Amino acid sequence: MSPQPSSAPLRTAVVGTGGIARGSHLPALQELATEGEVEVVAAVDVNEDAVRAFAESAAIPFSGTDLDAMLEEVRPDLVVLCTPPAVHREQSVAALRAGAWVWCEKPPSPSLADHDAVTAEEKGDDASPYASIVFQHRFGSGAHHVRKLLSEGAFGRPLVAHCQTTWYRDSAYYAVPWRGRWATEGGGPAMGHGIHQTDLLLDLMGEWTEVRGMAARLVHDVETEDVSTAQVRFAGGAVATVVNSVLSPDEVSRIRIDCERATIELTHLYGYRNADWRITPASGVPEETVAEWNDFGTDEPSSHLAQLRSLVADIKAGRRHATSGPGGRRTLEFISALYKSAFTDTLVRAGEIGPGDPYYTELHGGAPGWAPATTGKEEDNA
């Protein structure tokens, strides 16, 4: 499939019509529809009543429960996956084989092996359909401004960083059967909650080289962790800490980067605006330079809309989107390495986890005390 003409809206299908689709994806799609950039032509969900109601409320012409049938009949240009992570691989592959681009909610897939299997279905050129991940925190105006200044070296070398996603989830949250399970939620707070902050940190700091992690199950009766920490080293020499928690009543999301000439801080919860960023200069930095640093321009909050607008523009221009291919894999590889380090008590280096490594196919890596307990039937068939 060739790039779409700039005047042609991308014919878009929404797969999964739960809360994230209704609260974030559909409003973003509807906004871009008013701009003539997309047209929502189909909705799919395993719950027939739910998908029918979703389609009727948004005047979507096609609704159904069979993804393959929809792909065959509707032939959408873009498929937006708002489904659980356990089905992301098969649904992404099906959409790519049908000639559609994919925008997939986090967690993107339960393993690096799944991510690589999806990427293997791509043709490899930027103009052909590819799969991308919802990492909306990269796309606010604040991140764009700070990323540009960091890449230009305006702040000097990054030296020390901290990434914090300390949220609170009670027992009622984990009473939902699929939560806290490797197969259905894809991981604990390192994967399912802190992934957005981690992704933004990696996007701002560049390539990571090694990680040493810790994880614990302190409160909740779950398979996954409910808290994790990591020490990270980056290719440029900077070191960082990463903290992910669902045990923290005072909830906050925070990134801090100390550079030679300034400290950059972002403090928010589930999304940021320009005002949530603060740049503190080192002594001796001229006032006019500080004023330039603090001119963030027009405020575009981090949001699904901000990323979707960028994705649609990239698709139409024949460019590879920033969260597709290697740009999305880096974050998933980091989280896989965090788990491997935590569960094996070893330092893990970038590029270490590949085919043949148990952490390539499952984030728990089969580690005692962390891997799901097998049933008697499974043991008999082993």
Side-chain angles (χ1 to χ4, degrees):
M1 185 177 292
S2 60
Q4 299 294 306
S6 59
S7 60
L10 289 178
R11 300 175 66 256
T12 303
V14 179
V15 182
T17 59
I20 193 67
R22 295 191 304 270
S24 297
H25 287 275
L26 184 59
L29 288 164
Q30 289 173 324
E31 174 62 28
L32 287 192
T34 66
E35 300 171 12
E37 297 295 332
V38 303
E39 177 187 5
V40 185
V41 296
V44 176
D45 195 285
V46 294
N47 185 316
E48 185 173 1
D49 292 337
V51 71
R52 184 183 300 114
F54 182 87
E56 289 176 354
S57 69
I60 299 171
F62 179 98
S63 67
T65 59
D66 189 320
L67 173 61
D68 291 331
M70 183 278 292
L71 292 170
E72 177 66 26
E73 180 176 340
V74 179
R75 308 297 295 181
D77 300 309
L78 173 64
V79 172
V80 178
L81 296 182
C82 306
T83 48
V87 296
H88 285 170
R89 172 177 174 169
E90 62 182 87
Q91 291 178 341
S92 295
V93 167
L96 288 168
R97 288 179 177 175
W101 279 268
V102 175
W103 192 36
C104 181
E105 257 299 341
K106 62 85 182 172
S109 57
S111 70
L112 281 170
D114 289 328
H115 180 89
D116 290 348
V118 172
T119 302
E121 294 295 330
E122 301 173 1
K123 293 183 179 179
D125 60 289
D126 297 351
S128 298
Y130 50 74
S132 54
I133 302 167
V134 176
F135 284 145
Q136 73 270 22
H137 285 345
R138 294 195 204 181
F139 296 89
S141 52
H144 176 79
H145 178 66
V146 169
R147 183 188 307 112
K148 182 174 183 293
L149 290 171
L150 283 167
S151 66
E152 292 173 349
F155 302 128
R157 288 184 302 136
L159 303 172
V160 183
H162 174 70
C163 179
Q164 175 184 353
T165 305
T166 44
W167 294 354
Y168 184 78
R169 298 294 183 265
D170 60 16
S171 57
Y173 176 86
Y174 284 106
V176 178
W178 60 267
R179 286 182 174 145
R181 304 289 180 259
W182 294 107
T184 49
E185 194 169 22
M191 181 67 160
H193 303 84
I195 190 170
H196 285 308
Q197 289 299 111
T198 299
D199 178 72
L200 179 55
L201 177 76
L202 299 180
D203 185 56
L204 295 174
M205 296 289 290
E207 298 300 320
W208 65 275
T209 59
E210 60 187 42
V211 59
R212 184 177 290 278
M214 295 181 66
R217 191 186 295 125
L218 298 179
V219 174
H220 297 291
D221 182 17
V222 293
E223 290 178 350
T224 65
E225 86 288 3
D226 54 19
V227 63
S228 70
T229 65
Q231 297 173 304
V232 191
R233 191 183 306 276
F234 289 91
V239 294
T241 60
V242 176
V243 180
N244 302 297
S245 167
V246 289
L247 309 178
S248 308
D250 182 11
E251 296 185 288
V252 69
S253 303
R254 179 179 292 123
I255 286 178
R256 172 181 171 131
I257 303 173
D258 295 316
C259 302
E260 291 174 311
R261 302 185 71 205
T263 292
I264 305 102
E265 293 179 276
L266 168 63
T267 304
H268 65 112
L269 186 53
Y270 299 135
Y272 61 79
R273 306 184 71 93
N274 285 351
D276 297 317
W277 293 81
R278 185 174 68 176
I279 299 175
T280 303
S283 60
V285 176
E287 290 185 5
E288 58 270 24
T289 299
V290 177
E292 292 175 1
W293 289 351
N294 283 294
D295 182 6
F296 282 74
T298 302
D299 191 1
E300 182 172 30
S302 62
S303 65
H304 286 69
L305 175 60
Q307 182 175 2
L308 181 61
R309 182 174 279 119
S310 175
L311 172 64
V312 170
D314 287 341
I315 290 172
K316 290 186 175 184
R319 295 188 297 260
R320 177 164 284 277
H321 189 60
T323 70
S324 67
R329 192 185 193 278
R330 176 176 59 186
T331 299
L332 185 57
E333 182 188 4
F334 174 85
I335 294 169
S336 302
L338 189 160
Y339 281 125
K340 179 177 181 178
S341 176
F343 299 160
T344 62
D345 193 25
T346 59
L347 183 146
V348 178
R349 292 180 170 82
E352 176 179 320
I353 301 175
D357 188 310
Y359 290 87
Y360 181 69
T361 52
E362 295 177 302
L363 289 180
H364 56 71
W370 290 103
T374 58
T375 65
K377 181 178 180 179
E378 290 168 334
E379 290 170 350
D380 290 343
N381 292 333

